[in-house]
Structures are given as structure tokens and as C-alpha cells.
Amino acid sequence: MRREMQEILPGLFLGPYSSAMKSKLPILQKHGITHVICIRQNIEANFIKPNFQELFRYLVLDIADNPVENIIRFFPTTKEFIDGSLQTGGKVLVHGNAGISRSAALVIAYIMETFGVKYRDAFTYVQERRFCINPNAGFVHQLQEYEAIYLAKLTIQMMSPLQLERSLSVPPGTTGEKFLLFCVTTLSFPKDS
């Protein structure tokens, strides 16, 4: 099971690089894969690579499986790529080398934001489908921090501009990126003790 991909959500698969190798093309086609997120760092580029660029649409991300790696910066791009695929009837495979840490963290973040669930619930959901996932400690910490970010974003999206202005004393007419910048520069988060 560890060497195969698993379907986490309808159309969203998580697995190791071995599930995306040239010998696995019939299995990828059988599952209807149309898009692949290939996660690797520079030193892995010679053996973890897009094998079917003429058949699938690829997103290649340079991410080290290192606790100090900033993985949050990849969450929006990953979500946009997965959403784009699923909305057009496609199916996505997300893989790193082993399908345990980097790729699992991205899939967990996708589920957290898409369904508005907390890290622990998203982790449990993914682990029930791919038992071997184990994001490194730095990724886990970033996923836990991400809860506040996407939950604030969801709250903002549901509020009317007038409610926003009243609740945060936002200058009238502040929208979009200006609003997000306002929030980031004016909100403070408690530090860990």
C-alpha cells in the first residue's frame, strides 16, 4: 500500500514517486489521472521528474523535506492547481519521493482550506486513506499555524464590506489585496509561551 497511490478525495490521489514512474502509466490512465503535482528538491531532480509531460499537466514544486522549509508558501498554488483540475473533470496525483511528508502536508492543507476543517481532522482523514503519512515536525507546525490564516480568510469572504469596515475599523473602500495587507499589518497573534 505504501508504494501505491490512494484516492483521498474523489479525483485527488496521494502517493509516492513510484506510482508515477514510466512503468505505472497504465495504472495512471486506468484511474483517469490528468494532472500531477511533482514535489522534489534540486538534488532529487535527476530521479524524481515528470515522466509524461505530453500526457499530463504538471506542477513541479521545489520543496525540501526539511523542518525549516517554508511549505506554507506553496499552499495557494497547490490549491489553485488541484481546484482547476477537479473543476474541469480531471484527476490529480500529488507525489513526492515517498508520499509521506511533503506531498501529505500539501494534501492536508488542501483539505483544511477546502472544507474549513482543523489540522488534526484533516490529518486523520488523510491518514485513514494513506496510513503511512507523517509530515515532518516543521510542516506540522506550519499546518497548525495555517488554521488561523485560512479560517480568517473564510470569515472575511463571508462578511460584507460594511461588516468588515465596522468590525476592523478598515478605511472605507479598502478591498482585495489592500485589505489583506491591512489585516496582516494590524492584527497581532499571540506568541507561544
Side-chain angles (χ1 to χ4, degrees):
M1 183 174 182
R2 190 176 184 152
R3 294 174 194 215
E4 299 169 6
M5 63 182 181
Q6 285 78 41
E7 191 167 21
I8 306 302
L9 292 170
L12 176 59
F13 292 79
L14 172 61
Y17 174 65
S18 62
S19 66
M21 293 172 62
K22 291 185 177 183
S23 63
K24 302 296 179 158
L25 180 59
I27 295 169
L28 295 170
Q29 291 175 320
K30 176 183 152 200
H31 288 291
I33 300 297
T34 57
H35 294 66
V36 177
I37 298 177
C38 175
I39 303 152
R40 65 186 188 193
Q41 65 185 99
N42 288 338
I43 61 171
E44 297 172 310
N46 289 330
F47 64 93
I48 297 176
K49 55 190 170 191
N51 288 314
F52 310 105
Q53 292 187 20
E54 68 286 350
L55 298 175
F56 307 133
R57 184 162 174 228
Y58 278 86
L59 172 62
V60 179
L61 301 174
D62 182 16
I63 305 173
D65 188 8
N66 183 321
V68 298
E69 178 76 63
N70 176 358
I71 199 166
I72 287 179
R73 66 190 165 121
F74 296 102
F75 294 169
T77 304
T78 301
K79 182 162 176 24
E80 184 179 325
F81 187 83
I82 294 171
D83 284 344
S85 169
L86 298 178
Q87 289 166 1
T88 59
K91 294 185 178 182
V92 187
L93 166 61
V94 181
H95 77 76
N97 186 8
I100 291 173
S101 184
R102 294 171 288 188
S103 54
L106 292 175
V107 169
I108 290 166
Y110 177 81
I111 289 172
M112 287 169 64
E113 187 168 356
T114 301
F115 299 101
V117 297
K118 295 185 178 202
Y119 162 73
R120 180 52 50 196
D121 296 329
F123 174 87
T124 300
Y125 178 86
V126 174
Q127 190 177 49
E128 286 172 353
R129 285 144 186 83
R130 183 165 173 77
F131 73 90
C132 60
I133 68 165
N134 188 21
N136 73 48
F139 293 169
V140 169
H141 185 70
Q142 290 177 67
L143 286 162
Q144 291 168 333
E145 287 181 344
Y146 193 59
E147 276 182 31
I149 296 168
Y150 79 81
L151 288 174
K153 187 174 158 185
L154 288 175
T155 301
I156 290 165
Q157 289 171 348
M158 292 190 285
M159 294 177 80
S160 73
L162 186 56
Q163 288 173 311
L164 287 173
E165 289 174 17
R166 286 183 184 154
S167 66
L168 294 174
S169 301
V170 176
T174 304
T175 59
E177 287 183 23
K178 288 181 184 177
F179 176 74
L180 222 40
L181 183 59
F182 173 82
C183 289
V184 169
T185 57
T186 58
L187 295 178
S188 62
F189 296 95
K191 300 284 182 210
D192 290 337
S193 312

